[in-house]
Amino acid sequence: MQSSLLSRSILLALSMVSAGGAIAADASTADTPDGGTHAAAPTQLDAMLVTGTRASNRTQFETLAPVDVFTKEDIKSVDSTDLKDVLAQLVPSFVVQRLPMADGQVFVRPATLRGLSPDQTLVLVNGRRFHRSALLGNRGAQAADLAQIPTSAIKRIEVLRDGASAQYGSDAIAGVINIILEDSPGTEITAGYSQYAQGDGASRDFSARTGWALGDYGSLALFAESSNSDATSRTRQRPDAIAFQAAHPDLDVPNPVQRWGQPELESRRVGFNLKANASDTLEVYAFGLYSHSDGVSDFNWRNPDTTTGAYRTTSIFPGWDLRSIYPVGFSPQYGNVQNDLQLVGGLRGEITPKLRWDVSASYGRNAIDYSLDNAINASLGPDSPTSFDLGRLTQAEKNANVDFNYEWDVAALAKPVNVAFGAEFRQETYEVRAGDPASYAVGPGAAAGLEANANGAPGFSDTQAGKWDQRSHAAYVDMEVPLGERWSIGAAGRYEDFSSFGNTVDGKLSARFAITQDVALRGTFSTGFRAPTPAQLNTTSTTQGLDTRTLQIFTSGRLSPNDPLAQLLGAKPLTPEESRTASLGLTWRTDVGLSGSVDVYRIKLSDRFSQSASFAIPAGTPNPLGYTSVNYFTNDFDTTTSGVDVVGNYLRDLGTGRMTLTLAYNFNRTRVDNGSTSVATNETQRVLFEDRLPEHKGSFTGTWDVGAWSLMARVRYYGAWTDSTGNATGDIYQRFGDMTFLDLAAGYRINEHHSLRVGVDNVFDRYPDKATFQASRGLIYSRNAPYDTDGANVYAQYRLTF
C-alpha cells in the first residue's frame, strides 16, 4: 500500500512540479548543451546558491545535489516566529515535535531532517557554523536550536538535502540548513496576534528590521523581535485525581491537576548584519544574534494518597506532614531561562580576480538556567524549600576558518575548474554548574523512605558539575569540474583531527549530466561523520517520570560512559557516528512554468549514538539518588534510511494576477540493521527509531496574487506513526493514523506602506486519535505527535514598510 501511494505521489509530481519555494525569476536566458541560448519561462530553479557549492555561478537547476531555497515571502506565509515551525511546513522531510511536559525538550524541541537525529543536520548562518544548544535531548542528541534565530531577520533559507561532511565537517549527515540574513535597505515593522480556537495559547508578536546602504561602501541591517505566548491545555482530569476528590470531599482539587500543552513562553531576539568595503578588493563583514527566553511548564501531579515517597510521616520529622503544604497534591513548575549569543567577524577579498580568500572567526554560546517551583525535597522535611535553582548548562564554541577559492583555467575545458580549499579550528566547551544544595541533597528523611532531591527535576549536584572541552583541526579541498556543456563532476575531501578520539577522513563524489537544456540527471556518493560532543562524553543526568500503569514516580539516571558503574554495566568509549550516503535525482524546467525534481537517497549509518538499555542497580551498589534504573550513552547500532524527495512548482498568469502551485513530498523509512537495539531487551529503542515519525509527509500550496490581494491555501499531510508510553518498564505502543490539515490565509496591501494578513491554520480544527494509553496521566493527545495537537489557530498581522 505504501509503495502504491509513493508511485501515485511521484506521478502527481511529474505533472505538477517545483523546486520547493525558490523565488520566481523573470524571463531569462539559459545555456543549451550545444552552447546556444533559448528564452526560458519563469521557473523556481533560477535562484543563485551559496550552500552545497563553492562556485559563484551555480543556480538551483545547475547544482550537483538537491538544494531548496525559501524566500522571505515563503517564511512569512507561515504564522510562527519559531523557525522550526516554519521549516516544518516548508521542508517535506523536516519534522518537529511539540513534546509537552518533556523536561528541557519542551523549550528546545527536537527537529529532524530525513528522519535522522537532530544533531545530524548542520546549521549555518551566512555560511558559518551555528553553535549547539546546551541541552542534551532525547537519546542524547545535542543539536543547534533554530528557535534562537529571529525569522524576521532572514532573507532566505537554503536547505541542502544531501550528506556534506566532506565539505562542512561534523554533523552534516542528513543535510545542511543555511540561514542567510537580510542585508537590504529599508524598514519593516510587523505586529501580529494569534489564538487557538479553544480560546487559549494567545501569542503577541512584534518584529522590526531596518537597513541602510552605507554609501558605496556596504550595508548595515538591524533586527529586533519579541514574542509572548500563553500556555495551552489539552487535558482531562486524571482518574486518580477524581478518586482523590471523591475520597476527600472537603478539599478543592484543581481540575485538571496538571496541564498538557505548550508552555508559557516569552522571547526577545536582536541582531545585526554588517558588510563594509575597505577597498576595491577587501570587504569587512560581521553579524551577531542574541536571544533571551523565559518559559514555564507543568510536571506530573503528585497524589497525596499514593506518593508515599513524599507524603510519609516519620519520627525523624515529628509533626511534619507534607499535606500541610500541599493538601491536594502538587504539580511542580519547571522553569527555563535561556541566553543565546552568536558573533561572527571576518575579512574577504581577492589576491587576483581568479583567487579569492575569506578569513573569519566566530563565538557561539547557549546557556540554560533551570528552576523548579511548587515542589519539595521530602528527605529534608520542614527544612526543604519549595523553589529550587537546579543549575545551569552552558555550551560554548569557538571557530576560526581560512578559505580560498580559485577559478583554474584549463586549456582543454571551455569553463574554469573551481577549486576551493581551506582549514578550520574549532573548540567546544561544555559546563555544568551545580544547583542549590537542597535541589540534590539526600536529607535525613531518606533513611525513612522520604525521597531525596527536588521532586520533579533533581538539580545538578556538585559531583555532576564540571567543565570539559574538545578541540579539532580540519583541512579540506573541494573541486567542481565542467567536462563540456553536458557533464559536470565534483569531488571533495576533508581531514579532521579531534582531541577526544583521533582523526577522520571523509570524501564526496558528485556528477551532473544535462540530457537537454532543461532536463538533467544528478547523483552523489559521500561518507560522513558526527563527532561525540564534550557533553555526551562526560556528563551525567537524573530524570523523573510517571509510570502509566503504577502511577508511581520513577527516577532514571543517565551515566557518563566514563563512569565506573557504567563501565561495569558494559559502557565503552564513544566514537564518531559514520555514514555512507548515495543519491540520484532528476531535475527539470520548462517554458510553460513547470519545474521540479525527484531525488532518491539511501543513508547507511554505523555506530549510531543512543542511550543503552536500562539496567537495575546491581545489588550492593550505593544508590544515594534512589535510581529506579540507569543507562549510559553508547555507539550501539546501525541503520539504513531510504527515501525520495519530490518537489514541484507551476507558475502561470491567471486573469490579471499570478498563480503558483507548489507540491513537496517526502517518503522516508529507517530500519535498524544490527546492534543492541534490534534485540528484544531494547524493543522500545528499535520501535522508536523505525516508526516514531511518519514515513510519508507532504504539502500542496496554492497562491494567487491579484491586484492588492494575495490568497493562499495549503494542505499538509502526515502519514501514520507509532508512539510509546515511556514507562520505566513494560512500554505500551499505539499506532496513530494519518492526518491532513488545511491552512488558509489572505493578505491585502492597503498602499505601498501598509498591509494586512489574516489566516487560519488547521481550518477544520482537526485533532489526531486520542492517546488511550496515556489517559491515566490526563493526556488526551500524544505528546510525541509530529504536528501541533492544539487545534485551529487564527491569526492576524499588520505590516508597515518604508
Side-chain angles (χ1 to χ4, degrees), residues 507-524:
K508 182 173 184 176
L509 297 174
S510 309
R512 180 182 184 275
F513 177 70
I515 301 172
T516 71
Q517 70 268 28
D518 293 321
V519 180
L521 282 171
R522 61 191 178 199
T524 67

Side-chain angles (χ1 to χ4, degrees), residues 34 121 144 185 225 363 385 421 435 446 609 630-631 667 721 767 787 790:
D34 60 3
T121 298
E225 188 173 279
Y363 174 77
F421 55 97
F609 181 83
V630 295
N631 55 51
F667 168 78
W721 59 285
Y767 294 87
Y787 36 70
D790 285 330

Side-chain angles (χ1 to χ4, degrees), residues 141-371:
Q142 189 184 5
D145 185 11
L146 287 161
Q148 303 302 321
I149 301 173
T151 56
S152 59
I154 299 174
K155 182 177 183 177
R156 70 178 187 276
I157 303 172
E158 298 180 356
V159 180
L160 170 63
R161 294 181 277 109
D162 195 41
S165 291
Q167 297 164 290
Y168 297 102
S170 179
D171 308 345
I173 292 176
V176 179
I177 297 173
N178 191 7
I179 312 299
I180 309 300
L181 299 180
E182 184 63 76
D183 58 1
S184 59
T187 298
E188 181 175 280
I189 299 172
T190 302
Y193 180 85
S194 65
Q195 182 173 296
Y196 285 94
Q198 290 201 20
D200 59 4
S203 179
R204 296 155 292 276
D205 306 313
F206 176 84
S207 66
R209 178 195 64 81
T210 187
W212 301 273
L214 304 177
D216 296 329
Y217 299 102
S219 63
L220 172 64
L222 302 177
F223 325 111
E225 188 173 279
S226 70
S227 178
N228 292 276
S229 300
D230 296 339
T232 63
S233 179
R234 302 295 177 265
T235 315
R236 53 185 148 201
Q237 183 67 305
R238 282 174 48 161
D240 61 334
I242 297 174
F244 179 80
Q245 178 70 86
H248 304 275
D250 54 316
L251 298 177
D252 185 14
V253 180
N255 187 5
V257 289
Q258 66 189 56
R259 180 184 55 78
W260 292 95
Q262 299 180 30
E264 179 182 337
L265 185 64
E266 295 184 6
S267 300
R268 305 288 185 270
R269 306 181 187 99
V270 295
F272 73 93
N273 189 21
L274 170 68
K275 299 177 182 178
N277 298 321
S279 70
D280 292 340
T281 59
L282 179 64
E283 181 184 72
V284 180
Y285 63 90
F287 66 88
L289 299 171
Y290 173 76
S291 175
H292 172 83
S293 61
D294 190 346
V296 178
S297 176
D298 275 23
F299 269 2
N300 286 300
W301 177 65
R302 273 59 174 167
N303 186 331
D305 285 351
T306 61
T307 311
T308 57
Y311 284 90
R312 177 176 300 185
T313 57
T314 78
S315 59
I316 297 176
F317 304 119
W320 183 78
D321 188 339
L322 187 57
R323 292 175 188 262
S324 64
I325 302 175
Y326 299 123
V328 295
F330 62 99
S331 177
Q333 301 293 293
Y334 189 59
N336 174 298
V337 175
Q338 283 197 70
N339 289 284
D340 192 275
L341 174 68
Q342 179 85 2
L343 290 172
V344 176
L347 299 169
R348 54 185 166 222
E350 60 181 42
I351 299 172
T352 72
K354 296 286 187 179
L355 179 59
R356 297 181 298 276
W357 58 271
D358 191 324
V359 177
S360 66
S362 67
Y363 174 77
R365 181 178 182 271
N366 178 260
I368 308 176
D369 290 277
Y370 293 109
S371 63

Side-chain angles (χ1 to χ4, degrees), residues 5-189:
L5 177 58
L6 176 60
S7 300
R8 292 197 300 272
S9 299
I10 293 176
L11 288 174
L12 175 60
L14 292 174
S15 62
M16 186 173 293
V17 288
S18 96
I23 189 168
D26 292 331
S28 60
T29 61
D31 293 337
T32 63
D34 60 3
T37 62
H38 78 291
T43 72
Q44 300 225 13
L45 291 176
D46 296 322
M48 297 297 294
L49 300 178
V50 297
T51 309
T53 179
R54 289 184 168 90
S56 60
N57 58 351
R58 289 288 186 190
T59 68
Q60 272 182 285
F61 181 69
E62 297 169 329
T63 56
L64 280 66
V67 181
D68 291 333
V69 180
F70 302 99
T71 68
K72 186 190 311 183
E73 293 306 315
D74 296 317
I75 297 166
K76 291 177 181 177
S77 73
V78 180
D79 176 47
S80 179
T81 59
D82 189 328
L83 185 54
K84 293 179 182 178
D85 291 328
V86 173
L87 288 170
Q89 291 205 25
L90 297 178
V91 181
S93 60
F94 190 89
V95 176
V96 62
Q97 296 167 284
R98 179 60 67 181
L99 296 179
M101 210 182 296
D103 295 355
Q105 292 186 120
V106 176
F107 306 100
V108 184
R109 296 181 295 149
T112 67
L113 186 67
R114 290 184 164 178
L116 301 183
S117 176
D119 54 7
Q120 290 170 344
T121 298
L122 177 62
V123 176
L124 308 175
V125 176
N126 282 355
R128 297 302 179 210
R129 180 182 287 265
F130 190 72
H131 58 275
R132 307 177 195 276
S133 167
L135 175 72
L136 274 69
N138 196 13
R139 291 177 296 279
Q142 189 184 5
D145 185 11
L146 287 161
Q148 303 302 321
I149 301 173
T151 56
S152 59
I154 299 174
K155 182 177 183 177
R156 70 178 187 276
I157 303 172
E158 298 180 356
V159 180
L160 170 63
R161 294 181 277 109
D162 195 41
S165 291
Q167 297 164 290
Y168 297 102
S170 179
D171 308 345
I173 292 176
V176 179
I177 297 173
N178 191 7
I179 312 299
I180 309 300
L181 299 180
E182 184 63 76
D183 58 1
S184 59
T187 298
E188 181 175 280
I189 299 172

Side-chain angles (χ1 to χ4, degrees), residues 392-394 430-434 460-461 464-468 539:
R392 173 185 295 172
L393 302 177
T394 304
Y430 195 77
E431 183 175 4
V432 178
R433 178 184 61 78
F460 303 117
S461 69
Q464 292 174 307
K467 190 173 184 178
W468 307 270
T539 63

